[in-house]
């Protein structure tokens, strides 16, 4: 129905340009730190799977099926604007999808049995101020960059960027990755120390590693504290090595970007 559609003005308001991972080039990924780059490549693979799946949709003509730019735009509209309902469905609610991200939400969202969406403020919001929802975990800004294309500088802490190549169930139980945080005030979450100690013990003494893990699952904080005290120097060295590696990567990327960026070909360079 074109301009006669009741959805025209909303559709016409949607962005044409995206800076999220699905819109980046392989060159852009090479400019990201390792953790962000890995998550970005996962997102790009999702887009490619959609592009392949669209080819088998009989209702679409070939002009649409093989229009990679159009499919990428549709993918980005959905993945940057959907909201997950309590039942696990994805939905886009016009107007609500214009809410900004905030570390603390200003509104509460609910649905009735008919699927109608209701939004209520949870605090006083001054006139002219944005309404904010949490678009994702505020302690993992890399995932916000990957999905939405922005970084949340108000995050109270950030994921420590340590990557386990083949994470075990024990690693996940210890808090990997979501609770492994570096905070803005310089403190480090206990889960970072736990995971690094567990990894160190795996290289030093398997029996000690398993004893530490048993102390964790039985909530024996006193025993855990003894392990941390005994192996503090080794754990600290491993953590310092990781931090130095990340800082070195960032310095190298910053120097390289300053000398070689091509913003014309790669306008989404982070």
């Amino acid at each position: 129905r074109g301009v006669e559609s009741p959805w025209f003005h909303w559709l016409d308001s949607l962005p044409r340009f995206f800076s999220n991972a699905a819109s980046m080039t392989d060159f852009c990924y090479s400019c990201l730190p390792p953790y962000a780059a890995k998550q970005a490549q996962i997102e790009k693979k999702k887009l490619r799977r959609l592009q392949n799946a669209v080819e088998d949709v009989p209702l679409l003509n070939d002009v649409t099926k093989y229009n990679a730019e159009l499919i990428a735009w549709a993918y980005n509209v959905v993945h940057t604007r959907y909201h997950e309902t309590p039942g696990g469905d994805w939905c886009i609610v016009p107007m609500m999808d214009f809410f900004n991200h905030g570390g603390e939400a200003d509104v509460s969202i609910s649905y009735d049995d008919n699927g109608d969406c209701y939004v209520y403020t949870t605090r006083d919001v001054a006139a002219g101020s944005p309404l904010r929802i949490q678009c994702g975990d505020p302690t993992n800004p890399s995932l916000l960059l990957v999905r939405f294309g922005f970084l949340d500088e108000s995050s109270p802490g950030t994921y420590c960027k340590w990557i386990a190549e083949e994470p075990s169930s024990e690693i996940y139980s210890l808090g990997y990755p979501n609770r492994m945080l570096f905070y803005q005030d310089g403190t480090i979450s206990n889960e970072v120390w736990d995971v690094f100690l567990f990894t160190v013990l795996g290289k030093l003494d398997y029996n000690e590693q398993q004893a530490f893990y048993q102390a964790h699952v039985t909530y024996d904080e006193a025993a855990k504290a003894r392990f941390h005290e005994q192996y503090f120097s080794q754990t600290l060295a491993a953590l310092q090595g990781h931090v130095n590696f990340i800082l070195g990567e960032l310095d190298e990327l910053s120097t390289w970007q300053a000398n070689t960026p091509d913003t014309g070909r790669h306008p989404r360079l982070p």
Side-chain angles (χ1 to χ4, degrees), residues 228-258:
H228 278 293
E229 182 178 0
Q230 180 178 353
Y231 294 98
F232 176 74
S233 60
Q234 295 95 322
T235 307
L236 179 62
L239 182 54
Q240 287 178 328
H242 167 67
V243 171
N244 289 337
F245 169 76
I246 293 297
L247 291 176
E249 287 284 307
L250 292 175
D251 286 342
E252 182 179 338
L253 289 171
S254 296
T255 301
W256 181 65
Q257 290 178 31

Side-chain angles (χ1 to χ4, degrees), residues 201 206-216 218 223-224 227:
L201 290 175
Y206 174 79
N207 291 329
E208 286 282 86
Q209 182 192 49
Q210 293 306 303
F212 170 72
Y213 182 71
Q214 285 303 311
H216 169 73
T218 58
K224 286 181 65 176
F227 276 103

Side-chain angles (χ1 to χ4, degrees), residues 141-196:
S142 293
L143 294 184
L144 293 173
L145 173 66
V146 166
R147 179 178 165 189
F148 298 99
F150 69 84
L151 288 171
D152 181 8
E153 296 182 359
S154 68
S155 295
T158 182
Y159 173 53
C160 71
K161 308 298 188 292
W162 183 77
I163 301 174
E165 293 300 327
E166 297 181 359
S168 63
S169 59
E170 291 91 345
I171 289 287
Y172 282 116
S173 175
L174 289 165
Y176 176 81
N178 294 337
R179 300 198 302 276
M180 296 179 66
L181 304 177
F182 290 160
Y183 293 101
Q184 286 191 1
D185 63 3
T187 57
I188 300 172
S189 71
N190 291 333
E191 288 79 3
V192 172
W193 293 107
D194 285 349
V195 170
F196 270 80

Side-chain angles (χ1 to χ4, degrees), residues 24-25 27-29 31 256-257 260-263 266-270:
M24 294 180 184
T25 64
F27 181 78
C28 294
Y29 300 148
C31 299
W256 181 65
Q257 290 178 31
T260 62
D262 185 348
T263 55
H266 308 283
R268 299 171 183 83
L269 276 174

Side-chain angles (χ1 to χ4, degrees), residues 55-66:
E55 296 178 6
D56 297 325
V57 178
L59 298 178
L60 299 177
N61 59 41
D62 286 349
V63 174
T64 300
K65 289 181 180 181
Y66 299 103

